[in-house]
Amino acid sequence: MIFADKLIQLRKKSGWSQEELAQQMHVSRQSVSKWEGAQSVPDLEKMVQLSRLFNVTTDYLLKDEEGEPEPVPGEDRSESVRRVSMEEASAFLEAKKQSAGTVAFATMLCILSPIGLILLGAMSEVPRYGISENVAAGIGMILLLLLIAAAVAMFIISGSRTSAYDFLEKEPFETAYGVTGMVRERKEQFRETYVRNNVIGTCLCVLSVIPLFAGILIDEHNDLLLCGMVCCMLTIISVGTTFFIRGGTVWSSFQQLLQEGDYTPKNKKASGAAGGYWVMIAAIYLACSFLTGRWDLTWIIWVGAAGLYPILLAILRKHAEK
């Protein structure tokens, strides 16, 4: 039996189409077709990759001999690699779609949480409102904590919906026959929505500073007006962020199943190492805000963190390649 026949046999035994095997090997479907048609032979690196993928020895693949595949000593892929069925893949995509709105709204509440504190603090400095500084701080903190608590509850609920699929981020897995094609089709159908959400989110975030500049032009010495404009800016940013998250959450679910983008084995390691980054940023944001009391300024921490995150990921990915 020649290599081409063995490859066809192993691929069909695994339940993969040529396109799905090509995805696993990071080559084109035409390359797999040529291998199976005996028109070309994979190079040594790809041959080793095939032996690992099908859990057979390279000798079995290279030698034109009959016989059953010889498993690689010390490896048992049936135990180490989980296979994702069509039903599991569909359920995962649906769970991520449902959680996208919840996570987006929870993030919006986090961004909006200091607005009450900012406005009440500014109003306490205007005698005609009759609000003392302590009352303003107390009511503002209560509102902030209520919004944060609601957001945390939403994050927990959202996490519980998708907790059964955590293995997609933490463990190696394979997809059953037809899953890759289904996911790619849904991804292409969603592409236009994803691009539109990113465009809207970007435009809103860029335009969010307009209220602040408008307040400065109207009366740069009116602290209450300027604080109101800062609150308008945070509101616009929060709305823009929801577009990013709603589109990004669904898009990332496709990438997880296809093991593309941030979810290739190499990038998953880097993303996992950066997993505590946003927790640390949230802690820094809250600490700085409470210590300084400048909730109208500390939101800049999130902007800086967002700019640094891609750099951190790039460094971690570079390190993962070594």
Side-chain angles (χ1 to χ4, degrees):
M1 185 185 296
I2 64 172
F3 166 75
D5 294 331
K6 292 178 181 178
L7 181 59
I8 294 172
Q9 184 183 73
L10 290 169
R11 175 177 62 78
K12 291 183 176 180
K13 185 177 179 181
S14 297
W16 292 332
S17 65
Q18 287 187 343
E19 182 179 357
E20 288 173 318
L21 176 57
Q23 291 296 323
Q24 298 283 348
M25 294 294 296
H26 303 291
V27 297
S28 65
R29 188 196 63 78
Q30 288 76 12
S31 295
V32 174
S33 179
K34 288 181 179 179
W35 295 345
E36 294 186 353
Q39 299 175 17
S40 66
V41 177
D43 59 29
L44 182 58
E45 181 182 350
K46 292 299 181 185
M47 195 68 76
V48 172
Q49 190 175 347
L50 283 169
S51 74
R52 291 174 178 169
L53 187 63
F54 293 117
N55 192 34
V56 297
T57 62
T58 52
D59 281 348
Y60 170 77
L61 293 174
L62 293 169
K63 294 179 180 178
D64 295 342
E65 297 177 354
E66 298 286 344
E68 291 296 316
E70 303 171 13
V72 178
E75 293 188 11
D76 186 356
R77 288 180 56 83
S78 63
E79 294 182 3
S80 62
V81 180
R82 182 165 178 173
R83 183 176 289 262
V84 180
S85 67
M86 181 70 77
E87 292 74 18
E88 284 181 309
S90 297
F92 169 69
L93 292 176
E94 184 60 29
K96 292 292 283 187
K97 182 179 179 181
Q98 291 179 358
S99 67
T102 305
V103 172
F105 188 65
T107 305
M108 183 178 184
L109 291 181
C110 289
I111 298 173
L112 293 176
S113 61
I115 282 182
L117 193 61
I118 294 171
L119 281 177
L120 288 169
M123 291 172 67
S124 67
E125 297 180 4
V126 180
R128 72 170 181 271
Y129 290 112
I131 302 176
S132 68
E133 185 176 342
N134 289 336
V135 170
I139 296 175
M141 286 302 303
I142 290 172
L143 291 175
L144 182 144
L145 293 175
L146 285 174
L147 291 176
I148 292 293
V152 170
M154 291 181 186
F155 284 132
I156 293 173
I157 292 171
S158 176
S160 68
R161 289 176 182 167
T162 58
S163 59
Y165 308 101
D166 287 347
F167 70 91
L168 293 175
E169 292 189 21
K170 300 175 182 178
E171 303 172 16
F173 68 89
E174 297 172 350
T175 54
Y177 177 76
V179 170
T180 297
M182 179 273 289
V183 175
R184 286 198 176 281
E185 182 179 355
R186 291 196 185 185
K187 182 181 178 183
E188 288 306 311
Q189 291 173 349
F190 186 74
R191 184 180 296 277
E192 185 177 345
T193 301
Y194 174 67
V195 173
R196 182 171 62 249
N197 283 1
N198 279 344
V199 170
I200 294 173
T202 301
C203 290
L204 286 175
C205 289
V206 170
L207 297 174
S208 64
V209 296
I210 290 179
L212 184 59
F213 289 140
I216 294 173
L217 290 173
I218 295 170
D219 188 353
E220 62 179 323
H221 301 295
N222 189 331
D223 291 340
L224 180 58
L225 174 63
L226 294 179
C227 286
M229 293 299 102
V230 168
C231 292
C232 288
M233 179 179 65
L234 291 177
T235 301
I236 296 172
I237 291 174
S238 70
V239 174
T241 302
T242 63
F243 282 94
F244 284 126
I245 294 175
R246 290 176 71 92
T249 300
V250 176
W251 189 259
S252 69
S253 67
F254 299 134
Q255 290 188 318
Q256 278 183 269
L257 288 173
L258 295 173
Q259 301 189 72
E260 296 177 342
D262 290 336
Y263 296 95
T264 61
K266 177 187 72 176
N267 289 343
K268 278 201 288 189
K269 291 181 180 179
S271 297
Y277 178 77
W278 292 110
V279 175
M280 180 185 69
I281 294 301
I284 293 173
Y285 166 71
L286 291 173
C288 291
S289 299
F290 279 117
L291 291 174
T292 63
R294 296 306 305 270
W295 296 85
D296 57 327
L297 294 177
T298 52
W299 60 270
I300 296 175
I301 291 174
W302 292 104
V303 178
L308 290 174
Y309 187 65
I311 299 173
L312 174 64
L313 273 183
I315 294 172
L316 291 173
R317 287 171 184 170
K318 192 69 176 178
H319 180 72
E321 293 175 355
K322 297 180 180 180

